[in-house]
Amino acid sequence: MCGIVAYVGKKQAYPILITGLQRLAYRGYDSAGIALTNGSLNIYKKKGKVQDLIDYTELVQPEGTVGIGHTRWATHGEPNDINAHPHKSMNGKLAIVHNGIIENYASLKAELVKRGHEFESQTDTEILIHLIEEVQKSENVPLEEAVRLALHSVVGAYAIVVISESEPGKLVAARKSSPLVIGLGKDEYLIASDATPIVEHTKNVIYLNDEEIAVIDLENGLNIKSIDNENISPYIQELELKLEKIEKGGYDHFMLKEIHEQSNTLIECLRGRLSIEKGILMGGFRDVEDRFIHAKRIIMIACGTSWHAALVGEYLFEDLARIPVEVEYASEFRYRNPVIYEDDIVIALSQSGETADTLAAIRLAKQKGATVFGICNVVGSSIARESHAGAYTHAGPEIGVASTKAFTTQLGVLTMMAMKIAVSRNVMSDEEYRAIATELDNMPNLISEAIKSESKIKFIADEFKDVHNFLYLGRGYNFPIALEGALKLKEISYIHAEGYPAAEMKHGPIALIDEQMPVVVMATNESAYEKIVSNIQEVKARKGKIIAITTFADETIREIADYVIQIPETLEPLTPILSVIPLQLLAYHIAVNRDCNVDQPRNLAKSVTVE
Ligand code: G6P
């Protein structure tokens, strides 16, 4: 969601900014723009893809060694050329790019209108740059001071970068709740929403903290201040991100690459943590282990696919570690005055570590005294930094908007945590531990086996590419996977899909079943096997088309299902890691057949940094 990239250095900024915007495209956007200072301030912006912006500027050849760029995901005002960022001040000398939402924009606007300001766009961002202009005019201060003073009047979330025609060579950036990373190169600096536009220029980065303002020019280098004007010493970190990780590497789409990577990403996730002999060794867990052991309950909060991982977590923690778990949508949790006790543990799951609702929910939980444990993929992300303790999933950069490898590694982390707590609480025997640990250790191989069903899945995807509805059913550990399968399909193919616990089918969805209706049934888990067979019969009796996900050994369902996708058999608590693979592939191939933009589905964003 909204991507920011900015450059100051000795090179031409335009090509660097364009490549940066292309790197950020995965976050989801509907328009793109660039502003450069080169004697005067010039802004180029276009609705649509970065390519539309490139086409638009083809004859102009924008020049300048300082610039800001933006991919916009519309919040205030429809996607069009005018609402696209950068936005300029009334005198045309300042330009801004912004990620976030200025919540009090209406009152700020009313105030500015009284002072004679007129606005071109419908965005909250344009109000902010006019406010900065107004402060600069009345206080007669340098740009960074005007930004700092103006931000005192702002309620909401922001990551911004501002440039000025009158102070050429200077970038001023600030953040609150929306991420910004600063790259420190040789005679050049970059600023971006995440490290992907930076990695090919430098490995040295600084993550800006909330309510910090960075001022950069080549003469004075980088200076960081708090919004209250205190000097801040920056903490420089080295990026571990590798360029090849954010490129497609021969695959047609990032999503397909990421599905195929899952065997390796799970190895990375388990590496150094899972030991059959020594137990689970998780560094981030050590300080809070005691709290987990004595916890009366755990609350898991997340959004989207991460919420589905949390649902699997509920099964794992209750089944293996015998601790009650509540799973909450972060957006609901934070607004309903939740009851939180000081001995509660809140686990926040987030691929990006930047989801605005999840971030706000953990802040609330911390305020109320709970211990917050973050499970994030993006290293250095806000949720990772604001949690008391946590574990990274180590899936590497996930570029496809639809989450795949981040999900299976979230399950890897949750499984290890549940096993560790179970052993410490003496509710898991050594034998049980060894059995699950051995199977988890082998899971990367089983994932590779499961992926071999792809050609069969392609065939099924061809058969069903034109249907309007899909139903996904699962029980127990496979219920959250049914939800995830349905989410994957609707996200990228725009086919309406619903996931249901199989037994609930009789309480509603059965009314939808006819010969047009494909029903994907997860039929891998042993404990509910007979019941699942009955559910399949109920669908068949109403002429629904059954696509069953079964194990290689299964014979019963092979007889009754219309289509069967086989995956290896595994222990029930580990089933979700495997059974989600064919559902990811099914969604992917249906979407490809329908000519959908798989990696950047319409209206969706990778990192939802607004509430
Ligand atoms: C967006 C993405 C989803 C993701 C969800 C939660 O909706 O498109 O793929 O599952 O946000 O994101 P998080 O980064 O917190 O896991």
Side-chain angles (χ1 to χ4, degrees):
M1 184 169 279
C2 293
I4 288 176
V5 58
Y7 177 85
V8 53
K10 295 192 167 162
K11 299 179 190 144
Q12 281 301 316
Y14 179 79
I16 294 172
L17 295 176
I18 285 288
T19 310
L21 292 182
Q22 284 164 332
R23 296 254 184 256
L24 292 168
Y26 79 97
R27 297 166 69 92
Y29 71 107
D30 43 51
S31 47
I34 279 176
L36 299 161
T37 52
N38 185 28
S40 59
L41 176 71
N42 299 302
I43 298 183
Y44 313 90
K45 48 190 195 170
K46 256 311 182 220
K47 177 187 168 186
K49 295 290 167 197
V50 176
Q51 189 55 49
D52 296 308
L53 178 66
I54 297 172
D55 296 346
Y56 173 64
T57 50
E58 201 176 33
L59 300 175
V60 196
Q61 294 198 329
E63 291 204 346
T65 54
V66 183
I68 53 180
H70 191 264
T71 48
R72 174 176 187 249
W73 188 89
T75 58
H76 294 61
E78 63 174 276
N80 60 29
D81 294 354
I82 293 173
N83 288 332
H85 297 209
H87 288 284
K88 59 180 189 320
S89 54
M90 202 160 67
N91 63 12
K93 290 184 187 300
L94 307 179
I96 187 171
V97 287
H98 167 223
N99 176 9
I101 290 185
I102 310 296
E103 286 171 14
N104 61 336
Y105 82 99
S107 58
L108 294 174
K109 183 174 182 178
E111 204 48 48
L112 288 163
V113 167
K114 273 193 218 152
R115 295 181 192 204
H117 284 255
E118 286 171 11
F119 299 92
E120 287 178 354
S121 77
Q122 297 155 292
T123 64
D124 50 342
T125 306
E126 192 183 6
I127 315 278
L128 179 54
I129 195 66
H130 281 232
L131 178 67
I132 293 168
E133 173 184 26
E134 192 63 27
V135 172
Q136 196 170 28
K137 206 166 64 187
S138 61
E139 303 290 325
N140 196 18
V141 286
L143 180 61
E144 59 271 28
E145 189 57 6
V147 169
R148 190 181 75 77
L149 295 172
L151 288 177
H152 273 282
S153 311
V154 165
V155 178
Y158 52 77
I160 56 168
V161 188
V162 184
I163 53 173
S164 167
E165 184 183 298
S166 329
E167 296 172 62
K170 187 188 274 183
L171 296 175
V172 178
R175 79 156 265 180
K176 185 179 177 198
S177 294
S178 294
L180 273 187
V181 191
I182 301 171
L184 296 86
K186 188 172 172 329
D187 293 332
E188 62 184 5
Y189 295 84
L190 286 103
I191 306 176
S193 298
D194 62 43
T196 55
I198 295 178
V199 63
E200 62 201 89
H201 302 282
T202 175
K203 293 266 181 197
N204 296 325
V205 295
I206 292 164
Y207 292 90
L208 209 59
N209 291 309
D210 270 358
E211 305 205 320
E212 286 181 357
I213 298 171
V215 190
I216 304 174
D217 65 51
L218 284 189
E219 212 174 294
N220 302 303
L222 163 73
N223 285 292
I224 301 182
K225 281 192 169 188
S226 74
I227 194 170
D228 294 325
N229 214 13
E230 294 145 351
N231 288 321
I232 309 266
S233 322
Y235 169 55
I236 302 173
Q237 302 185 35
E238 198 174 323
L239 275 183
E240 283 178 16
L241 187 65
K242 293 200 173 68
L243 192 58
E244 62 266 25
K245 297 263 182 194
I246 52 171
E247 297 191 323
K248 277 190 209 147
Y251 285 91
D252 288 345
H253 297 98
F254 281 109
M255 184 181 175
L256 187 63
K257 176 183 174 227
E258 288 158 5
I259 292 173
H260 279 258
E261 271 175 358
Q262 288 178 104
S263 170
N264 285 332
T265 51
L266 190 63
I267 292 174
E268 290 304 320
C269 171
L270 305 179
R271 192 190 297 286
R273 292 166 161 176
L274 173 71
S275 161
I276 300 166
E277 301 307 326
K278 296 192 200 131
I280 304 291
L281 312 151
M282 293 177 82
F285 196 62
R286 210 171 297 132
D287 292 345
V288 285
E289 188 177 350
D290 213 47
R291 291 191 143 242
F292 269 95
I293 293 170
H294 297 107
K296 290 196 197 66
R297 69 164 182 174
I298 292 172
I299 302 168
M300 296 195 187
I301 49 173
C303 304
T305 289
S306 296
W307 186 76
H308 294 154
L311 286 180
V312 177
E314 179 178 22
Y315 282 83
L316 286 165
F317 277 65
E318 295 202 344
D319 183 17
L320 303 182
R322 310 300 301 148
I323 304 181
V325 174
E326 288 168 28
V327 178
E328 305 265 6
Y329 284 116
S331 53
E332 287 300 312
F333 176 80
R334 56 180 290 210
Y335 286 119
R336 64 166 176 70
N337 194 14
V339 178
I340 304 171
Y341 302 111
E342 291 201 345
D343 56 0
D344 278 341
I345 294 180
V346 171
I347 299 182
L349 291 108
S350 176
Q351 186 287 126
S352 62
E354 301 294 349
T355 301
D357 280 317
T358 312
L359 190 55
I362 69 166
R363 286 177 181 159
L364 175 71
K366 278 170 78 179
Q367 241 176 46
K368 298 207 174 203
T371 302
V372 175
F373 190 91
I375 300 179
C376 298
N377 190 38
V378 176
V379 176
S381 55
S382 301
I383 294 172
R385 287 185 295 146
E386 292 197 25
S387 298
H388 294 115
Y392 285 118
T393 47
H394 296 309
E398 191 179 64
I399 308 289
V401 163
S403 185
T404 52
K405 62 176 183 172
F407 179 72
T408 43
T409 52
Q410 284 171 336
L411 300 188
V413 168
L414 288 166
T415 309
M416 287 189 283
M417 287 175 70
M419 290 165 71
K420 175 137 188 94
I421 302 164
V423 170
S424 306
R425 284 167 66 101
N426 286 325
V427 292
M428 182 181 273
S429 67
D430 280 359
E431 230 175 33
E432 264 178 293
Y433 173 81
R434 287 185 77 86
I436 301 179
T438 308
E439 187 70 358
L440 185 56
D441 192 46
N442 189 36
M443 194 50 66
N445 296 327
L446 300 186
I447 291 177
S448 303
E449 284 299 305
I451 286 182
K452 288 187 185 153
S453 58
E454 188 165 8
S455 53
K456 179 79 182 283
I457 292 171
K458 268 186 182 168
F459 173 79
I460 299 172
D462 226 29
E463 297 281 293
F464 289 99
K465 67 178 194 306
D466 296 321
V467 300
H468 298 295
N469 295 290
F470 253 89
L471 188 61
Y472 287 72
L473 302 177
R475 282 175 178 262
Y477 278 104
N478 268 333
F479 158 54
I481 301 307
L483 297 184
E484 175 59 9
L487 177 65
K488 284 285 88 71
L489 186 71
K490 68 186 141 199
E491 276 180 318
I492 60 169
S493 75
Y494 319 137
I495 293 176
H496 170 246
E498 286 195 50
Y500 256 86
E504 274 293 305
M505 179 182 67
K506 287 202 256 324
H507 301 286
I510 200 163
L512 300 172
I513 294 172
D514 59 18
E515 60 277 10
Q516 311 292 332
M517 180 70 139
V519 182
V520 179
V521 185
M522 319 300 300
T524 56
N525 42 352
E526 309 124 26
S527 59
Y529 184 80
E530 299 303 332
K531 306 256 183 265
I532 278 283
V533 173
S534 308
N535 295 137
I536 292 178
Q537 297 291 14
E538 287 155 10
V539 174
K540 291 285 299 175
R542 284 150 188 92
K543 300 196 167 53
K545 295 276 178 296
I546 295 287
I547 303 166
I549 315 295
T550 66
T551 58
F552 286 123
D554 187 294
E555 292 196 347
T556 315
I557 292 175
R558 199 184 315 162
E559 295 296 310
I560 49 177
D562 298 278
Y563 304 85
V564 173
I565 301 169
Q566 292 171 307
I567 58 172
E569 189 161 354
T570 187
L571 299 174
E572 213 168 330
L574 305 182
T575 303
I577 303 180
L578 272 191
S579 55
V580 74
I581 308 274
L583 304 193
Q584 296 167 342
L585 285 167
L586 183 64
Y588 171 80
H589 286 291
I590 290 178
V592 168
N593 277 337
R594 289 163 68 87
D595 280 334
C596 294
N597 186 343
V598 175
D599 284 334
Q600 290 159 37
R602 70 181 179 209
N603 304 339
L604 293 181
K606 182 72 185 157
S607 175
V608 179
T609 48
V610 297
E611 298 170 14

